[in-house]
Amino acid sequence: MNDQKTENPAPPAPGLRIERHSSVSSTNTLAFARARAGDRGGLWIRADEQTAGRGRLGRNWTSPVGNMFASFLLVDPQPRERIAELPLVAAVALADAIDKAAGTFGLARLKWPNDLLVEGAKLSGILLEAETLPDGRLAVVLGIGVNCVSHPQGGLYPCVDLRALGYRVSADQVFDCLRREMSERLEQWAQPDGFEAVRKAWLNRAAHLGKRITVKGTREVTGTFVDLDNRGYLVLELETGVRETIYAGDVFLLGFEHKGSPGTP
Ligand code: BTN
């Protein structure tokens, strides 16, 4: 059974609420249930473990106790055409939160669109899902998982956790920093031209800028990662010199491909 209790290291910002559970299938699933039941957004859902955590592109997200699992529900945060910017907003907020929690600076680099890497290994992931509610509003859920004390092995990418990196940081500490950084970044994003500041912050942390990468989506494209466009999409320069914008896919650094079964992060 889920024991709902109030978080209490520091009070949440006005308008924000936090639900905490010991075990849920997926905090994203629960966030959508709240939206369908009429929640107006500004709600964090946290769980100590998930029994059916979801990752990007239909994968599983291994979710044992000790790591951090949280979802933030937003309802109509910005016009729909701007929602694709949100994964980058969340990635920058999360990277800053991990720095604050771990007492470091620039620990994680960002892999497009929103994976956090430390020395090439995945420390955390973000899953953005959206659903139009019966009244026409858009529910957007930012689901965030951070490997604090353990990480899965044998997946598509190498993974790592904070403890293995030498940082003793609890899920509570990461979450406490995350909800603050997220509020600040969302506020910045909501300003006129707010995404430009987020885009710059993202590029400052980019893992593969200037490097040759392969993006595997509906097709495979290889080129040099030269920029993010003004909506946060990846711009690759192909060997022909032509620039191509990539809207979705998995990024691999050329020569560092890791093979594994789909279904693991
Ligand atoms: C990824 O594949 O990189 C994204 C992983 C996102 C996992 C988080 S954990 C909290 C939230 N609930 C889920 O079921 N998934 C997200």
Side-chain angles (χ1 to χ4, degrees):
M1 209 194 98
N2 296 329
D3 59 328
Q4 196 170 313
K5 56 197 179 213
T6 310
E7 284 266 286
N8 207 10
L16 286 188
R17 287 153 298 124
I18 303 170
E19 259 184 38
R20 171 99 181 247
H21 300 264
S22 52
S23 181
V24 298
S25 59
S26 155
T27 53
N28 272 31
T29 301
L30 198 51
F32 279 117
R34 296 288 182 264
R36 285 180 215 120
D39 196 283
R40 305 183 65 80
L43 173 68
W44 279 102
I45 307 230
R46 249 197 91 188
D48 296 339
E49 68 168 0
Q50 300 183 116
T51 54
R54 293 199 290 276
R56 285 179 66 230
L57 307 173
R59 300 185 185 119
N60 307 320
W61 185 260
T62 314
S63 305
V65 171
N67 290 344
M68 198 226 58
F69 316 105
S71 297
F72 192 43
L73 170 66
L74 297 162
V75 177
D76 279 341
Q78 288 291 324
R80 284 177 188 236
E81 62 275 12
R82 292 198 60 198
I83 298 305
E85 300 167 0
L86 258 179
L88 285 83
V89 176
V92 168
L94 179 59
D96 287 346
I98 287 175
D99 270 352
K100 289 232 165 96
T104 58
F105 182 74
L107 177 65
R109 312 301 297 172
L110 298 178
K111 180 168 87 103
W112 188 83
N114 54 17
D115 284 347
L116 267 69
L117 306 181
V118 179
E119 289 163 17
K122 181 160 166 164
L123 178 66
S124 68
I126 299 172
L127 174 67
L128 179 138
E129 296 180 304
E131 180 180 310
T132 301
L133 299 170
D135 63 4
R137 292 176 308 150
L138 187 71
V140 180
V141 174
L142 283 166
I144 300 169
V146 178
N147 299 331
C148 296
V149 298
S150 65
H151 64 269
Q153 313 271 351
L156 263 185
Y157 318 100
C159 292
V160 74
D161 63 77
L162 286 168
R163 184 159 67 185
L165 290 166
Y167 298 100
R168 293 211 159 265
V169 181
S170 69
D172 283 352
Q173 287 169 307
V174 170
F175 177 71
D176 208 37
C177 294
L178 174 63
R179 63 183 175 78
R180 291 157 194 282
E181 295 296 325
M182 189 70 81
S183 293
E184 282 177 24
R185 283 289 173 188
L186 286 170
E187 217 171 281
Q188 179 181 51
W189 180 57
Q191 303 300 314
D193 291 329
F195 183 63
E196 187 49 23
V198 173
R199 185 181 150 274
K200 286 196 176 120
W202 195 102
L203 283 168
N204 276 336
R205 288 220 186 227
H208 300 137
L209 197 60
K211 302 232 166 74
R212 295 246 304 153
I213 58 173
T214 295
V215 188
K216 297 183 182 181
T218 43
R219 63 196 181 91
E220 201 172 301
V221 189
T222 295
T224 305
F225 172 20
V226 288
D227 206 357
L228 290 180
D229 76 3
N230 61 2
R231 297 178 60 202
Y233 295 118
L234 190 72
V235 182
L236 285 190
E237 190 168 288
L238 311 184
E239 264 182 15
T240 56
V242 169
R243 289 190 171 198
E244 180 166 339
T245 304
I246 308 288
Y247 298 96
D250 264 330
V251 169
F252 295 89
L253 186 61
L254 221 64
F256 286 89
E257 187 167 338
H258 291 268
K259 300 210 160 38
S261 55
T264 45

